[in-house]
Each structure stands twice: as structure tokens, then as C-alpha cells.
Amino acid sequence: MNWAIVKNTWQMCLNSKLRQLVIVLMVFWPLVKTTAELCITNEFPNEYLEAANNSVVFVLACGSGCIGGQLNDGTLSLVLSRPVKISSYAFSKWFAVAVAASVASLTQFAGEMIVVACRTPYMIDGGFVLTNFFERLMICFAFSAVFMFFSSLVSGSKDLAVYFVSFIIYKASEMIAQIRPETFDEGLGKTLATLFVPPIAVVDQALGFVLAPKIDLAPLLVNSVITWPAVTAYFTVLAVFVSVCIYSLNRRELPYGAD
Amino acid sequence: MNSAETSAASGIVVKDVVKTYKAGKVKALNELSLTANPGEALGIIGPNGAGKTTLFGCLLSFLHVDQGSISIAGLPPDALESRKAVGYLPERLNFDKWMTGRQFMHFHYELSGQDPSMKEKVCHDLLTKVALEEQNWDLLIKRYSRGMLQRLGFAQALIGRPRFLLLDEPASGVDPAGVLLLRRLMRELKAEGMTIILNSHQLEQVEKLCDRVAFINKGKVDAVEDLKHGHAESCRYIIKWKPRDAAGDEEEIQALASRCGAELVERQSNLGVFNMPNIDAVADTLDALVRGGFRIVEATPQDNRLERFFIDGKTEAAREKFEASETKIEDLEGKNEASED
């Protein structure tokens, strides 16, 4: 871990007006939503915490262009002309983005808790709150690894485009995965559905996990246990994406001059 | 290992390096070999697209070489130890614009892995050394002028007291005072034993600082000129004397000069332009002219050696450039004639 790079990444994040705006909007969004719903329906909404998966937005806001931006403007060349290992650089970037996104997400969480504690304290469910808290943290840390890999592949802030393309593919595969081949009459439609729906369902599951990686803690709420495959899958995604990010940066030639 | 090999091993050695782009279609470096000995200042000169920047990219391990090897103090360029030993000033001064100059220096100091307790002092000393005014240290880099950026970049390159300094157009965009300052700094650093590789289009600057100059063209070293023993090479001098009454003295001057191995190439009323084969010929010619009754008031070199090296077409690059410009002039003349018709 290189603390100079970690601090530099946080400062870079804090110095971008656009990032600040997105994070502030996201932090205050639950308050705005609750107020709007109260004005329209004259009732408080039942959901008092944002879904943990929404923490992905904080990672996007904090991490966009984190590596690609430095590749694009040439500042990465200057950093790597110093005695800094690429693995240390990538690891530090991942850590900095993960912590920044976690802090932003947990600020939102704290805001939501204050709102619900003021308006309807009887609604607070300790187990649900804890689950949401830890799932946010897990998503911030693992999705940061995924997003750092995206950022190492492209220059500038095109990592956002890579994310959105992946998200669109995920949504499309989700729709296709819901098709049941047995609902088709015999014919080309049934054949195609039988042939393509199962692999697309696998893609859907994999992409869904990669784009919001977490260990589902819901079973804990019903006195069940978390399965080992879920834990393994989570840490595998984290380790694999940090590793491929390092590999991608190692293979890459840094833009240097005008030749 | 003999002494020459030991010396080379502690310097920078580039051996038969090949670097291609676009799946081998474009050969940026073509079996390029080069050595920068410890404590030496080596200039890199060549036309645009010659491969100078690619060479710098390979020396800093930003680019992967296809063939050949590069060693810095006996280590590969991507080794952390060799990176510690190298300071680098890029041509494109793309620094983090949201930082202040001081923050930028602190960041690079931390990256260089130096003693944290010395951070403030070292950065202060380096910024003072490059004469960046203290009131600008806490200014955002995006507000810096090109000259200020160049000074900041130079200070950054000196963090960690590197043994090797790679400078890419260090005086580009710097005001005259800055150019003199950078030149003085480079001289001091060289005197301290730092090995400097200087990529510059400013021939005068290269000549004033470097011990040797490598001319690169089409990814190859076209020629290497030793400037340390430079005065043994040819040069051109303008010699001025007090006006004399004697007319028709051109033959006399020519005879005096040719006796010393010099050649009168141009003559105006009270001055002559001489081609000198070496510095001894300059002294001899001046002596002969004084003895011949000419009262010498001024003797100045007409142009620097690197310029002559280029003008005389001693490098393939220079010859090609010269021929290309000649062809262009002929084409233009042809076009002009056609339009006049």
C-alpha cells in the first residue's frame, strides 16, 4: 500500500466539483425522496434505507477516471517513473476508492437513519439496519476492484461507458433469462429458447454478481447461515479483479510523448 | 570485466534496441545502441519522429522494447532501484492541475520513498534552487505559466538526488533568465557527477552542456560527436581588423590563412570569414594576420559546432533535411515560374 497514492486519490476526488455534486445529491437523495413522498401521499414511505446495491453509484462517482484519467493526461507516467510498483499503485487506488465510496455511502446511511429516527423510530429493525450497513461496505470494496479494472482498460472517464455497457448487457440478459422455454409451442422459438436461455441466465447471474458483488446477509435475519460458496464467490471477485487490474497495467505501455 | 565495461555498467547502456508500433509496421527504434558514461552529459538530437521520445519512453520503461536490452547502473530500467536513481523531466508538463506546486513536490517526495522528516526542507530547497518564487508555491498548478511549470518539473526531477537525469526539452517555453538558470543548474549537477541525458532541439544549449551528442535518425544512431574534444574539429570564424589603406589585400589574406591551414570563404571591407580546420589554426591565423600588418579588433566563432555539423551534412538526417528543403524550393520555384507563364 502506498499512502501517498491513497491520499492523492482522495484529494483528486475532493477537488472535482462534479464528483462532489453527485455525492452530495446522492447523500441527500433519501431526504428529498421522503419529503416528496410525504407531500404527495401524506404518508411516510415504508422503505427507510436505500438498497445496498445503490452504493455502486458512490463507487462510480469516486472512482471514475481514477486510473484511466491519469493514463490519459500523462500523470501516471510521472508517478510510475518513481520507485512505485504497479501492484502497489493499483492496490492503493482500489483501497482509496473503496474507502471514499464507503464513507460517502455510510454518510447517506447515517442521514437515512437520522431521518427515520426522527419521523418513525418504531420502524427501525436492528437486523435489517446492520445487514444494510455491511452489505454497503461489501459492495463498495468489491465493486471498487471491478471498477478499477474497467478504469485500467480505457483512458479518461470511459470506464463509466464500460460500466453502462455491462449494465445494459446485464439488464438485457436478465430479461432473456426470465423466458421459460416450456411456455413455447414446438418450433424454432422453443429450440432457440432451449438453446440460448440457460447460458444467458448464467451470464445474467455472473454479471449481476460482478456489478454489485456482496455476500447476501439476508439469511442471517431469518436465523439461517451464510453459505461458504457465497463467501468464496465474493472474495474471488475481489481478488480476481484487483489482480487483472494489475496485470492489465503491467501489460500496458504508458503514453509518453508525441512520437 | 574490464574498466570500460565497469564504467559502462554503472552508466546507461542501450544495446541493439528495437521498438516497433502497429504490430511491427512502424519501426521507431531500429537496433539502436548508445552508452552514457557515469558523470557524462549526453545530448540527443534528431529530426521529429526520429525516435528520441521513444528512446526516453524505453529508458523509463514506459514502453516495452521488442528486442535488445537497456541497463541503468547495471539494472533493468523497470527495477525499483534504477527508478530511484533516475530523475525525469517530461516534455509535456502534464501535472495534476488541482494541486499546488508545494503539494505536487510533497507528493513526489513521498513517492520517492525518502525520509519523511526531511520532506519540507528538501522541497523548499529544491523549489528555491530552481528559482520558483515562493509566493507561487501555494498557487494551483493550473495557474502556472509554461516557464513556472518547467521549473517545477525540474525541481521534481531532482527529488531524491538521482544519479541519472533524463531531461526532455528542459528549456522549452522558459524565459531567457530561466534558460540561463537551467543551464547553470545542469552544469552544477554535471559537476556533482550526475549523468545527464538531454533531449533538445536547441543545438546551442546542447553544445554548451553536453560532452557528447548522439544524432538519431530513423531509430538509429546516425553519428556521435564528441564535444569535449570539440575544438579539434572544424569551425568558422569571423575576424575583424581596423580598416587599412592598402587595397587588393584579399590575395594576401588568403595566402596568410592558407599557410595556417585556414581558408578565407568570405571577404567584406574590414572583415573576413574563415574556415578553420582546428583551434590551433585559429591562433596561427590570428598570429599571421597580426604579423602581416592587420590590426585585429575582433575574432568570433560564426556559428556553433553542432550547427556546422548539421549544415555540413555530416549526419544522414541533416543531409535528407537539406535535400528535402532544396527539392521544396525547386518545386516552389517551378510553380512560381508556371504561374508567371
Side-chain angles (χ1 to χ4, degrees):
Chain A
M1 183 84 69
N2 189 313
W3 286 104
I5 294 173
V6 172
K7 276 194 290 177
N8 175 266
T9 310
W10 288 337
Q11 285 173 337
M12 191 169 75
C13 196
L14 286 173
N15 276 285
S16 163
K17 297 257 186 304
L18 188 64
R19 285 178 212 270
Q20 285 174 8
L21 183 71
V22 172
I23 291 169
V24 168
L25 283 177
M26 280 298 294
V27 166
F28 284 102
W29 172 242
L31 187 64
V32 174
K33 204 171 76 173
T34 307
T35 313
E37 232 167 300
L38 190 62
C39 292
I40 296 164
T41 62
N42 220 16
E43 276 177 22
F44 283 115
N46 289 330
E47 289 166 2
Y48 55 90
L49 288 177
E50 285 285 304
N53 285 8
N54 291 357
S55 295
V56 161
V57 180
F58 289 108
V59 176
L60 297 179
C62 295
S64 170
C66 206
I67 295 176
Q70 287 204 306
L71 265 168
N72 198 37
D73 61 23
T75 49
L76 181 57
S77 309
L78 210 56
V79 170
L80 293 182
S81 73
R82 297 278 166 206
V84 176
K85 281 184 188 168
I86 286 182
S87 55
S88 169
Y89 171 81
F91 197 74
S92 307
K93 282 281 176 190
W94 160 72
F95 181 77
V97 171
V99 170
S102 300
V103 168
S105 179
L106 294 182
T107 308
Q108 185 196 46
F109 173 85
E112 287 169 319
M113 287 308 295
I114 292 167
V115 170
V116 73
C118 295
R119 65 170 215 210
T120 47
Y122 55 87
M123 282 174 84
I124 297 173
D125 171 359
F128 174 69
V129 167
L130 273 179
T131 307
N132 186 285
F133 177 90
F134 284 112
E135 282 186 354
R136 280 172 189 252
L137 278 181
M138 280 190 284
I139 287 176
C140 286
F141 272 78
F143 183 66
S144 292
V146 176
F147 198 58
M148 284 304 99
F149 169 62
F150 289 171
S151 195
S152 71
L153 290 178
V154 288
S155 61
S157 294
K158 292 187 197 120
D159 43 13
L160 279 178
V162 176
Y163 170 75
F164 284 117
V165 168
S166 313
F167 188 76
I168 290 165
I169 295 171
Y170 163 59
K171 283 292 167 194
S173 62
E174 193 178 46
M175 283 197 304
I176 296 168
Q178 283 167 355
I179 296 169
R180 296 276 159 268
E182 53 273 16
T183 57
F184 285 86
D185 293 332
E186 288 298 326
L188 184 64
K190 185 165 184 136
T191 314
L192 286 176
T194 316
L195 213 59
F196 289 112
V197 170
I200 288 173
V202 174
V203 171
D204 164 51
Q205 276 198 332
L207 265 178
F209 191 69
V210 164
L211 295 180
K214 64 176 184 191
I215 303 167
D216 193 2
L217 299 179
L220 292 176
L221 297 177
V222 287
N223 294 328
S224 185
V225 288
I226 302 163
T227 58
W228 275 112
V231 177
T232 313
Y234 175 78
F235 285 105
T236 305
V237 164
L238 208 159
V240 163
F241 277 93
V242 170
S243 306
V244 289
C245 174
I246 294 168
Y247 177 77
S248 156
L249 282 172
N250 260 319
R251 296 271 303 164
R252 202 175 175 118
E253 292 196 321
L254 301 179
Y256 168 68
D259 260 20
Chain B
M1 202 183 273
N2 63 33
S3 63
E5 282 171 333
T6 315
S7 165
S10 51
I12 295 178
V13 182
V14 180
K15 203 173 174 194
D16 301 326
V17 165
V18 176
K19 172 66 197 165
T20 57
Y21 295 115
K22 295 182 182 170
K25 283 178 198 157
V26 179
K27 221 171 200 174
L29 298 180
N30 188 7
E31 294 184 6
L32 184 139
S33 295
L34 198 66
T35 305
N37 299 314
E40 180 184 49
L42 176 71
I44 306 282
I45 283 179
N48 293 333
K52 305 183 298 293
T53 305
T54 301
L55 173 64
F56 262 52
C58 292
L59 285 173
L60 290 156
S61 77
F62 296 158
L63 304 172
H64 310 305
V65 300
D66 297 348
Q67 277 176 46
S69 64
I70 295 175
S71 77
I72 296 174
L75 294 164
D78 56 351
L80 292 189
E81 281 306 311
S82 58
R83 283 189 187 173
K84 260 185 196 169
V86 175
Y88 149 66
L89 171 68
E91 182 185 3
R92 293 180 176 185
L93 304 165
N94 296 326
F95 305 148
D96 295 289
K97 291 183 175 61
W98 50 268
M99 281 186 183
T100 64
R102 195 195 294 268
Q103 285 174 335
F104 176 78
M105 287 295 286
H106 286 178
F107 175 50
H108 279 274
Y109 184 90
E110 286 167 17
L111 286 179
S112 68
Q114 304 290 307
D115 177 10
S117 64
M118 296 295 287
K119 183 169 76 177
E120 285 287 344
K121 189 189 178 309
V122 170
C123 294
H124 181 281
D125 290 350
L126 287 174
L127 287 170
T128 310
K129 196 171 188 171
V130 297
L132 189 67
E133 288 168 5
E134 197 161 353
Q135 71 214 42
N136 295 323
W137 295 3
D138 293 313
L139 201 66
L140 288 178
I141 289 179
K142 67 179 170 192
R143 307 215 183 283
Y144 274 33
S145 68
R146 168 87 192 178
M148 284 156 75
L149 284 174
Q150 204 80 16
R151 284 166 199 247
L152 182 66
F154 201 91
Q156 166 277 139
L158 298 177
I159 289 175
R161 295 184 66 82
R163 283 157 56 202
F164 303 95
L165 199 55
L166 305 186
L167 305 173
D168 206 348
E169 293 289 354
S172 159
V174 182
D175 55 43
V179 172
L180 292 175
L181 172 86
L182 291 180
R183 199 180 287 164
R184 182 175 59 77
L185 277 176
M186 285 190 266
R187 278 212 193 100
E188 282 173 14
L189 295 168
K190 193 166 137 332
E192 285 170 19
M194 199 178 276
T195 309
I196 300 174
I197 296 190
L198 172 66
N199 177 16
S200 177
H201 284 301
Q202 295 174 4
L203 300 182
E204 195 195 344
Q205 185 188 48
V206 173
E207 182 164 356
K208 284 193 170 142
L209 182 80
C210 295
D211 301 315
R212 287 190 304 142
V213 178
F215 295 89
I216 294 185
N217 186 34
K218 293 181 181 168
K220 275 188 170 180
V221 176
D222 211 1
V224 177
E225 175 79 338
D226 190 343
L227 298 174
K228 249 195 293 190
H229 308 101
H231 295 302
E233 295 291 322
S234 71
C235 46
R236 186 170 281 191
Y237 266 74
I238 302 170
I239 300 177
K240 247 185 196 175
W241 51 83
K242 275 203 160 177
R244 292 165 25 123
D245 296 335
D249 54 4
E250 187 153 341
E251 288 82 10
E252 190 191 346
I253 298 167
Q254 185 64 68
L256 287 169
S258 59
R259 234 183 284 157
C260 308
E263 181 198 1
L264 177 70
V265 288
E266 200 184 322
R267 167 73 206 279
Q268 287 170 22
S269 62
N270 63 329
L271 67 84
V273 181
F274 296 84
N275 261 351
M276 305 287 192
N278 50 48
I279 196 72
D280 290 338
V282 180
D284 292 346
T285 309
L286 287 171
D287 188 40
L289 287 170
V290 171
R291 282 170 194 277
F294 291 86
R295 297 179 71 190
I296 307 296
V297 290
E298 195 178 313
T300 47
Q302 188 186 23
D303 44 36
N304 59 43
R305 288 186 52 220
L306 287 178
E307 267 178 43
R308 287 238 56 78
F309 203 77
F310 251 73
I311 292 163
D312 291 349
K314 286 188 184 173
T315 70
E316 202 184 323
R319 216 165 23 250
E320 280 172 8
K321 282 240 156 180
F322 182 71
E323 282 166 9
S325 61
E326 289 279 281
T327 317
K328 266 187 190 168
I329 291 165
E330 278 169 18
D331 288 350
L332 282 171
E333 282 171 354
K335 274 181 192 169
N336 284 343
E337 277 169 20
S339 62
E340 276 168 20
D341 290 343

PDB file of all heavy atoms in Angstrom, chain A residues 77-93:
ATOM      1  N   SER A  77       2.478   8.395 -15.927  1.00  0.00           N
ATOM      2  CA  SER A  77       3.869   8.185 -16.328  1.00  0.00           C
ATOM      3  C   SER A  77       4.811   8.765 -15.281  1.00  0.00           C
ATOM      4  O   SER A  77       5.803   8.143 -14.919  1.00  0.00           O
ATOM      5  CB  SER A  77       4.162   8.872 -17.661  1.00  0.00           C
ATOM      6  OG  SER A  77       3.213   8.512 -18.605  1.00  0.00           O
ATOM      7  N   LEU A  78       4.467   9.957 -14.801  1.00  0.00           N
ATOM      8  CA  LEU A  78       5.326  10.613 -13.816  1.00  0.00           C
ATOM      9  C   LEU A  78       5.324   9.850 -12.487  1.00  0.00           C
ATOM     10  O   LEU A  78       6.363   9.715 -11.842  1.00  0.00           O
ATOM     11  CB  LEU A  78       4.844  12.056 -13.615  1.00  0.00           C
ATOM     12  CG  LEU A  78       5.893  13.075 -13.230  1.00  0.00           C
ATOM     13  CD1 LEU A  78       7.030  13.103 -14.230  1.00  0.00           C
ATOM     14  CD2 LEU A  78       5.283  14.449 -13.110  1.00  0.00           C
ATOM     15  N   VAL A  79       4.143   9.339 -12.117  1.00  0.00           N
ATOM     16  CA  VAL A  79       4.045   8.568 -10.865  1.00  0.00           C
ATOM     17  C   VAL A  79       4.870   7.289 -10.988  1.00  0.00           C
ATOM     18  O   VAL A  79       5.642   6.940 -10.090  1.00  0.00           O
ATOM     19  CB  VAL A  79       2.568   8.238 -10.547  1.00  0.00           C
ATOM     20  CG1 VAL A  79       2.460   7.238  -9.407  1.00  0.00           C
ATOM     21  CG2 VAL A  79       1.805   9.508 -10.194  1.00  0.00           C
ATOM     22  N   LEU A  80       4.744   6.622 -12.134  1.00  0.00           N
ATOM     23  CA  LEU A  80       5.438   5.335 -12.290  1.00  0.00           C
ATOM     24  C   LEU A  80       6.921   5.507 -12.662  1.00  0.00           C
ATOM     25  O   LEU A  80       7.633   4.522 -12.803  1.00  0.00           O
ATOM     26  CB  LEU A  80       4.720   4.448 -13.302  1.00  0.00           C
ATOM     27  CG  LEU A  80       3.341   3.981 -12.838  1.00  0.00           C
ATOM     28  CD1 LEU A  80       2.696   3.069 -13.864  1.00  0.00           C
ATOM     29  CD2 LEU A  80       3.386   3.265 -11.491  1.00  0.00           C
ATOM     30  N   SER A  81       7.364   6.752 -12.834  1.00  0.00           N
ATOM     31  CA  SER A  81       8.812   6.952 -13.003  1.00  0.00           C
ATOM     32  C   SER A  81       9.487   6.945 -11.636  1.00  0.00           C
ATOM     33  O   SER A  81      10.700   6.944 -11.528  1.00  0.00           O
ATOM     34  CB  SER A  81       9.100   8.269 -13.729  1.00  0.00           C
ATOM     35  OG  SER A  81       8.850   9.360 -12.875  1.00  0.00           O
ATOM     36  N   ARG A  82       8.675   6.951 -10.594  1.00  0.00           N
ATOM     37  CA  ARG A  82       9.163   6.870  -9.217  1.00  0.00           C
ATOM     38  C   ARG A  82       9.257   5.398  -8.801  1.00  0.00           C
ATOM     39  O   ARG A  82       8.629   4.539  -9.447  1.00  0.00           O
ATOM     40  CB  ARG A  82       8.178   7.588  -8.276  1.00  0.00           C
ATOM     41  CG  ARG A  82       8.053   9.068  -8.569  1.00  0.00           C
ATOM     42  CD  ARG A  82       9.157   9.823  -7.942  1.00  0.00           C
ATOM     43  NE  ARG A  82       9.268  11.187  -8.451  1.00  0.00           N
ATOM     44  CZ  ARG A  82      10.396  11.872  -8.444  1.00  0.00           C
ATOM     45  NH1 ARG A  82      11.500  11.335  -8.004  1.00  0.00           N
ATOM     46  NH2 ARG A  82      10.440  13.093  -8.893  1.00  0.00           N
ATOM     47  N   PRO A  83       9.990   5.118  -7.728  1.00  0.00           N
ATOM     48  CA  PRO A  83      10.071   3.707  -7.312  1.00  0.00           C
ATOM     49  C   PRO A  83       8.763   3.192  -6.704  1.00  0.00           C
ATOM     50  O   PRO A  83       8.652   2.988  -5.505  1.00  0.00           O
ATOM     51  CB  PRO A  83      11.209   3.707  -6.286  1.00  0.00           C
ATOM     52  CG  PRO A  83      11.327   5.108  -5.822  1.00  0.00           C
ATOM     53  CD  PRO A  83      10.849   5.990  -6.911  1.00  0.00           C
ATOM     54  N   VAL A  84       7.767   3.043  -7.565  1.00  0.00           N
ATOM     55  CA  VAL A  84       6.448   2.560  -7.127  1.00  0.00           C
ATOM     56  C   VAL A  84       6.094   1.336  -7.972  1.00  0.00           C
ATOM     57  O   VAL A  84       6.143   1.409  -9.200  1.00  0.00           O
ATOM     58  CB  VAL A  84       5.369   3.658  -7.344  1.00  0.00           C
ATOM     59  CG1 VAL A  84       3.987   3.141  -6.988  1.00  0.00           C
ATOM     60  CG2 VAL A  84       5.695   4.900  -6.539  1.00  0.00           C
ATOM     61  N   LYS A  85       5.775   0.242  -7.300  1.00  0.00           N
ATOM     62  CA  LYS A  85       5.381  -0.968  -8.043  1.00  0.00           C
ATOM     63  C   LYS A  85       3.979  -0.761  -8.602  1.00  0.00           C
ATOM     64  O   LYS A  85       3.138  -0.140  -7.945  1.00  0.00           O
ATOM     65  CB  LYS A  85       5.338  -2.160  -7.092  1.00  0.00           C
ATOM     66  CG  LYS A  85       6.682  -2.760  -6.766  1.00  0.00           C
ATOM     67  CD  LYS A  85       6.448  -3.979  -5.902  1.00  0.00           C
ATOM     68  CE  LYS A  85       7.762  -4.509  -5.376  1.00  0.00           C
ATOM     69  NZ  LYS A  85       7.552  -5.500  -4.333  1.00  0.00           N
ATOM     70  N   ILE A  86       3.739  -1.319  -9.788  1.00  0.00           N
ATOM     71  CA  ILE A  86       2.410  -1.188 -10.385  1.00  0.00           C
ATOM     72  C   ILE A  86       1.368  -1.845  -9.476  1.00  0.00           C
ATOM     73  O   ILE A  86       0.262  -1.335  -9.321  1.00  0.00           O
ATOM     74  CB  ILE A  86       2.408  -1.775 -11.815  1.00  0.00           C
ATOM     75  CG1 ILE A  86       3.148  -0.797 -12.735  1.00  0.00           C
ATOM     76  CG2 ILE A  86       0.991  -2.014 -12.318  1.00  0.00           C
ATOM     77  CD1 ILE A  86       3.200  -1.180 -14.182  1.00  0.00           C
ATOM     78  N   SER A  87       1.748  -2.971  -8.862  1.00  0.00           N
ATOM     79  CA  SER A  87       0.799  -3.656  -7.978  1.00  0.00           C
ATOM     80  C   SER A  87       0.439  -2.749  -6.796  1.00  0.00           C
ATOM     81  O   SER A  87      -0.723  -2.654  -6.403  1.00  0.00           O
ATOM     82  CB  SER A  87       1.396  -4.966  -7.482  1.00  0.00           C
ATOM     83  OG  SER A  87       2.637  -4.725  -6.878  1.00  0.00           O
ATOM     84  N   SER A  88       1.431  -2.044  -6.281  1.00  0.00           N
ATOM     85  CA  SER A  88       1.197  -1.149  -5.145  1.00  0.00           C
ATOM     86  C   SER A  88       0.304   0.021  -5.589  1.00  0.00           C
ATOM     87  O   SER A  88      -0.591   0.436  -4.853  1.00  0.00           O
ATOM     88  CB  SER A  88       2.549  -0.634  -4.646  1.00  0.00           C
ATOM     89  OG  SER A  88       2.384   0.402  -3.750  1.00  0.00           O
ATOM     90  N   TYR A  89       0.557   0.504  -6.809  1.00  0.00           N
ATOM     91  CA  TYR A  89      -0.256   1.600  -7.351  1.00  0.00           C
ATOM     92  C   TYR A  89      -1.719   1.174  -7.465  1.00  0.00           C
ATOM     93  O   TYR A  89      -2.623   1.865  -6.980  1.00  0.00           O
ATOM     94  CB  TYR A  89       0.294   2.015  -8.721  1.00  0.00           C
ATOM     95  CG  TYR A  89      -0.579   2.987  -9.458  1.00  0.00           C
ATOM     96  CD1 TYR A  89      -0.544   4.349  -9.172  1.00  0.00           C
ATOM     97  CD2 TYR A  89      -1.462   2.540 -10.439  1.00  0.00           C
ATOM     98  CE1 TYR A  89      -1.361   5.234  -9.836  1.00  0.00           C
ATOM     99  CE2 TYR A  89      -2.287   3.427 -11.111  1.00  0.00           C
ATOM    100  CZ  TYR A  89      -2.230   4.767 -10.814  1.00  0.00           C
ATOM    101  OH  TYR A  89      -3.057   5.649 -11.469  1.00  0.00           O
ATOM    102  N   ALA A  90      -1.947   0.005  -8.099  1.00  0.00           N
ATOM    103  CA  ALA A  90      -3.318  -0.466  -8.328  1.00  0.00           C
ATOM    104  C   ALA A  90      -4.010  -0.760  -6.996  1.00  0.00           C
ATOM    105  O   ALA A  90      -5.181  -0.407  -6.805  1.00  0.00           O
ATOM    106  CB  ALA A  90      -3.290  -1.711  -9.209  1.00  0.00           C
ATOM    107  N   PHE A  91      -3.288  -1.386  -6.092  1.00  0.00           N
ATOM    108  CA  PHE A  91      -3.856  -1.742  -4.795  1.00  0.00           C
ATOM    109  C   PHE A  91      -4.245  -0.465  -4.023  1.00  0.00           C
ATOM    110  O   PHE A  91      -5.331  -0.396  -3.433  1.00  0.00           O
ATOM    111  CB  PHE A  91      -2.819  -2.558  -4.012  1.00  0.00           C
ATOM    112  CG  PHE A  91      -3.388  -3.314  -2.864  1.00  0.00           C
ATOM    113  CD1 PHE A  91      -4.148  -4.470  -3.080  1.00  0.00           C
ATOM    114  CD2 PHE A  91      -3.175  -2.893  -1.567  1.00  0.00           C
ATOM    115  CE1 PHE A  91      -4.680  -5.162  -2.002  1.00  0.00           C
ATOM    116  CE2 PHE A  91      -3.706  -3.582  -0.487  1.00  0.00           C
ATOM    117  CZ  PHE A  91      -4.467  -4.724  -0.705  1.00  0.00           C
ATOM    118  N   SER A  92      -3.364   0.533  -4.095  1.00  0.00           N
ATOM    119  CA  SER A  92      -3.638   1.793  -3.384  1.00  0.00           C
ATOM    120  C   SER A  92      -4.857   2.506  -3.978  1.00  0.00           C
ATOM    121  O   SER A  92      -5.675   3.062  -3.249  1.00  0.00           O
ATOM    122  CB  SER A  92      -2.435   2.731  -3.460  1.00  0.00           C
ATOM    123  OG  SER A  92      -1.291   2.076  -3.019  1.00  0.00           O
ATOM    124  N   LYS A  93      -4.950   2.475  -5.307  1.00  0.00           N
ATOM    125  CA  LYS A  93      -6.092   3.108  -5.975  1.00  0.00           C
ATOM    126  C   LYS A  93      -7.385   2.419  -5.544  1.00  0.00           C
ATOM    127  O   LYS A  93      -8.381   3.080  -5.236  1.00  0.00           O
ATOM    128  CB  LYS A  93      -5.931   3.012  -7.498  1.00  0.00           C
ATOM    129  CG  LYS A  93      -4.966   4.017  -8.060  1.00  0.00           C
ATOM    130  CD  LYS A  93      -5.622   5.373  -8.186  1.00  0.00           C
ATOM    131  CE  LYS A  93      -4.650   6.414  -8.656  1.00  0.00           C
ATOM    132  NZ  LYS A  93      -5.191   7.767  -8.563  1.00  0.00           N
TER     133      LYS A  93
END
